[in-house]
Amino acid sequence: MAKIWRSLRSKFGLILLIAISLLSFNAISGLLLSGKPAVFRFHLLGEPMDLDPAHISGASGSYLLYNLYRSLYRYRPGIGLVPEGATHCNWQNQKRLTCYLDPSRKWSDGSAVTATQYVNAFRRLVDPATRSVQTELLLSLANAREILAGKLEPSKLGIKARSSHILTFDLATPDSDFEYRLASPALAPLHSLPIANKSRAQEVVVNGPYRVAEWGNRGRIRLEANPHYPDAQKRPAVEVLLVDDDTTALRLYETGHLNLLRRLPSILIDKYRSRADFFQVPLARFDYLGFGPALKDKPELRRALTLALDYDKLKELYHALGRPGCPSLPIHYMKRPPCYPFDQDEARALAANHRYPPLSLSVIGFSKMGGDDIQRGMEWLQGQWSQNLDWNFQLDGREQGMYLHQLQVTPAMVFRKGVSLDRPTCLAALENFTSQHRENYLKYHNPAFDLLVERLRLETQAHRRQDICQQAVETLMADHIMVPLGEIHFSMLQDQNFKGWEINELNQLDLTQLEVANAEDRANVSN
């Protein structure tokens, strides 16, 4: 009898476990069927410092703040720039742009968005007291550089409100990317000074499709539809979770507690590739391996390091669609993307007459924020240079804040840097390597390269921009100061309970058209 009871108890336990798993996995579907409000959940790797658009950076800006604040345009995948706060903008000449605001746009408190609020936001952003890295978006405006240097007041910035709904921008020099810059949520209008206290986040007045309902403990942020944004009644509630580990995020997704997994580890791509909820997003980035000060005066050793990597194997390791050793830019930015070859014999010949620096200097630095994928890639590099050059490196993974500080002070001999772009252009990538740029961690100074980037900024013809981009990338790579890591794709998972959201190549999550999916929508995804 006891044996029968144990058998029944075991079977019951198994059935109960399966039932719980099914209930967890279909948590959102159950809410839909029961009539309870559905909630779209995604996660961030780190908690935002605040909700100030002037402080937008990383995923907090791309996934959270992009849905709270909007500027004159937004950027849609496969479409490009579309009007947002403006109905349209017209160039009067190469240095003057006039934008006409959409009179129907309102703040989340119901008040109208005005041209003066844009002027106030731009002046605040360029004010040195604001201490915003987003000031780089405004450098082409008249007097911006003088204001940042403390020589002029912010009121002298080249932006004016001609009426309550007409804005005029005056540029110091032509800027072919200027309208793309106006898609950044950092250039949203300013209703009032941002509230720094997270417990009062629900008081923040915003102009995007969502507003904050609550900023709770452990980084959980609840969003609700902005009632004064178009089609608010269709938009479900949103929850943002703080999950800094890819494995934990995947577990939450598989149990129905996340509706979007924003980063599937590459080691699992083959397992998930055939599933209906798997998809990949090509990103406009310029990720690279940089060579630090220890190799500044050793061009042959730098070249040896670039030639000693079997790039096709690295591509296989990451299941990458683009080849490492080639620029991380979309192919259409150039005519013929230059690529480094793998040539072990030449690499050894170049290194033969050089004594390698000691192990204490031979360091590969990287940020731990990239998770297991980055760690695996750095271990692969370590193995390649040991095998192909007999050069031993040690790994130095650091937390993101410490790592960025190290890059600014004394970068490692080799360091990995991810470069996300704030607009989908070649200029956005290459200006990071110009002599005076704050993120020129390579300390690269090449007047010919700087001149090409400036020509790219001034050029408005698409085919000529492609030619200049090609020349600039070739110049950068000819100096062997870095190894580009090829076109980057994020592998993600999405469930079938929501539709309408988009992720563009700038890695911006756009919830403007987010809706709960009906039965027909879910069936189409499954098929």
Side-chain angles (χ1 to χ4, degrees):
M1 187 71 181
K3 185 180 292 186
I4 295 174
W5 169 245
R6 284 196 299 270
S7 176
L8 288 172
R9 185 172 60 182
S10 176
K11 290 179 179 178
F12 178 76
L14 178 60
I15 292 171
L16 181 61
L17 178 61
I18 293 172
I20 291 173
S21 298
L22 288 173
L23 284 172
S24 298
F25 186 74
N26 293 302
I28 302 299
S29 296
L31 289 174
L32 294 172
L33 293 173
S34 67
K36 295 180 181 179
V39 180
F40 180 80
R41 294 181 175 89
F42 65 91
H43 75 287
L44 297 177
L45 299 176
E47 186 175 12
M49 295 186 300
D50 53 43
L51 295 178
D52 187 345
H55 297 155
I56 285 176
S57 64
S60 63
S62 299
Y63 280 67
L64 173 59
L65 300 186
Y66 187 68
N67 293 293
L68 301 179
Y69 300 101
R70 293 290 170 83
S71 188
L72 297 166
Y73 290 103
R74 63 188 172 101
Y75 186 80
R76 295 190 60 190
I79 297 175
L81 288 176
V82 296
E84 176 72 21
T87 59
H88 63 286
C89 296
N90 293 331
W91 287 99
Q92 309 302 309
N93 54 54
Q94 282 192 316
K95 295 178 14 179
R96 171 165 287 188
L97 179 70
T98 299
C99 292
Y100 301 85
L101 303 192
D102 184 342
S104 68
R105 295 295 180 176
K106 298 183 182 299
W107 293 98
S108 54
D109 66 355
S111 61
V113 177
T114 67
T116 299
Q117 291 168 333
Y118 278 96
V119 172
N120 293 339
F122 280 50
R123 287 176 177 175
R124 174 177 178 262
L125 194 65
V126 81
D127 189 333
T130 304
R131 298 179 181 275
S132 172
V133 298
Q134 300 297 334
T135 54
E136 289 167 359
L137 294 167
L138 305 180
L139 291 181
S140 56
L141 280 177
N143 298 326
R145 295 181 185 275
E146 291 80 2
I147 295 168
L148 287 168
K151 298 177 181 179
L152 290 175
E153 294 297 315
S155 60
K156 300 299 183 181
L157 186 66
I159 177 175
K160 292 181 181 177
R162 299 295 182 185
S163 71
S164 61
H165 288 92
I166 300 178
L167 272 173
T168 297
F169 298 97
D170 289 307
L171 278 60
T173 58
D175 181 359
S176 57
D177 273 12
F178 188 71
E179 284 187 89
Y180 284 109
R181 299 179 199 275
L182 297 178
S184 170
L187 299 184
L190 181 65
H191 178 278
S192 53
L193 289 178
I195 298 172
N197 190 336
K198 296 176 184 178
S199 65
R200 296 176 56 203
Q202 69 275 10
E203 300 174 29
V204 176
V205 180
V206 297
N207 69 331
Y210 280 89
R211 65 183 181 185
V212 177
E214 180 186 8
W215 193 327
N217 296 328
R218 300 179 182 177
R220 184 184 292 259
I221 303 172
R222 288 198 308 109
L223 307 179
E224 61 187 9
N226 174 357
H228 300 286
Y229 192 92
D231 298 322
Q233 70 281 359
K234 297 181 180 179
R235 215 166 281 118
V238 171
E239 278 192 354
V240 185
L241 280 60
L242 179 63
V243 185
D244 60 2
D245 176 73
D246 290 342
T247 302
T248 302
L250 178 58
R251 189 180 305 118
L252 289 171
Y253 175 83
E254 292 286 41
T255 54
H257 294 90
L258 286 176
N259 305 100
L260 172 67
L261 183 75
R262 52 183 293 262
R263 196 168 70 181
L264 179 70
S266 61
I267 198 171
L268 297 176
I269 289 177
D270 277 346
K271 177 181 177 181
Y272 283 84
R273 192 188 299 275
S274 60
R275 284 180 30 166
D277 58 348
F278 173 86
F279 71 107
Q280 290 183 301
V281 178
L283 298 179
R285 298 177 62 90
F286 204 102
D287 293 11
Y288 66 90
L289 294 172
F291 298 135
L295 294 174
K296 181 178 180 181
D297 299 322
K298 297 177 172 58
E300 290 191 339
L301 282 184
R302 295 200 307 266
R303 190 173 174 213
L305 288 170
T306 66
L307 294 172
L309 298 176
D310 190 339
Y311 297 105
D312 289 329
K313 286 186 178 179
L314 182 57
K315 179 179 178 180
E316 291 176 10
L317 178 72
Y318 279 131
H319 300 275
L321 302 182
R323 178 188 179 275
C326 305
S328 305
L329 296 171
I331 293 176
H332 65 271
Y333 285 11
M334 297 164 283
K335 291 185 175 179
R336 301 171 304 281
C339 300
Y340 288 137
F342 168 51
D343 191 330
Q344 182 183 359
D345 292 338
E346 185 175 354
R348 283 183 174 274
L350 285 167
N353 297 322
H354 296 272
R355 178 177 295 178
Y356 295 151
L359 186 61
S360 59
L361 291 179
S362 298
V363 174
I364 302 173
F366 61 98
S367 169
K368 290 183 178 179
M369 193 174 74
D372 292 341
D373 269 358
I374 301 301
Q375 176 77 31
R376 289 172 60 230
M378 299 305 98
E379 291 171 353
W380 181 88
L381 286 172
Q382 186 183 41
Q384 283 280 291
W385 285 328
S386 175
Q387 173 184 327
N388 299 331
L389 281 180
D390 299 321
W391 191 346
N392 294 316
F393 281 80
Q394 59 180 332
L395 302 183
D396 181 17
R398 302 193 181 198
E399 299 302 325
Q400 177 73 351
M402 293 177 59
Y403 182 63
L404 291 177
H405 177 73
Q406 180 193 42
L407 289 182
Q408 292 167 351
V409 179
T410 308
M413 178 179 287
V414 180
F415 59 90
R416 188 194 188 282
K417 183 68 179 72
V419 180
S420 57
L421 307 188
D422 58 16
R423 55 197 190 280
T425 66
C426 182
L427 176 61
L430 297 187
E431 64 187 8
N432 289 278
F433 305 105
T434 53
S435 299
Q436 302 303 318
H437 198 276
R438 65 179 178 85
E439 291 198 8
N440 180 12
Y441 300 119
L442 297 167
K443 305 297 187 289
Y444 183 56
H445 301 288
N446 184 333
F449 176 80
D450 290 349
L451 181 59
L452 285 168
V453 174
E454 186 59 27
R455 283 179 56 199
L456 190 59
R457 189 188 314 280
L458 300 177
E459 183 56 64
T460 58
Q461 298 296 319
H463 70 282
R464 291 178 182 170
R465 287 171 60 83
Q466 194 179 49
D467 287 337
I468 299 170
C469 179
Q470 178 86 29
Q471 294 176 51
V473 171
E474 289 175 349
T475 300
L476 186 67
M477 292 180 62
D479 286 336
H480 291 87
I481 58 165
M482 45 81 79
V483 178
L485 293 176
E487 284 191 273
I488 306 294
H489 292 73
F490 274 7
S491 298
M492 303 183 178
L493 299 176
Q494 59 165 346
D495 74 17
Q496 58 185 344
N497 294 299
F498 296 89
K499 66 176 184 177
W501 55 270
E502 297 177 334
I503 296 179
N504 61 28
E505 60 259 49
L506 303 177
N507 196 23
Q508 294 172 327
L509 175 64
D510 187 349
L511 303 180
T512 303
Q513 300 176 79
L514 179 68
E515 291 184 51
V516 176
N518 57 35
E520 182 179 352
D521 294 323
R522 294 195 293 274
N524 289 336
V525 172
S526 298
N527 293 331

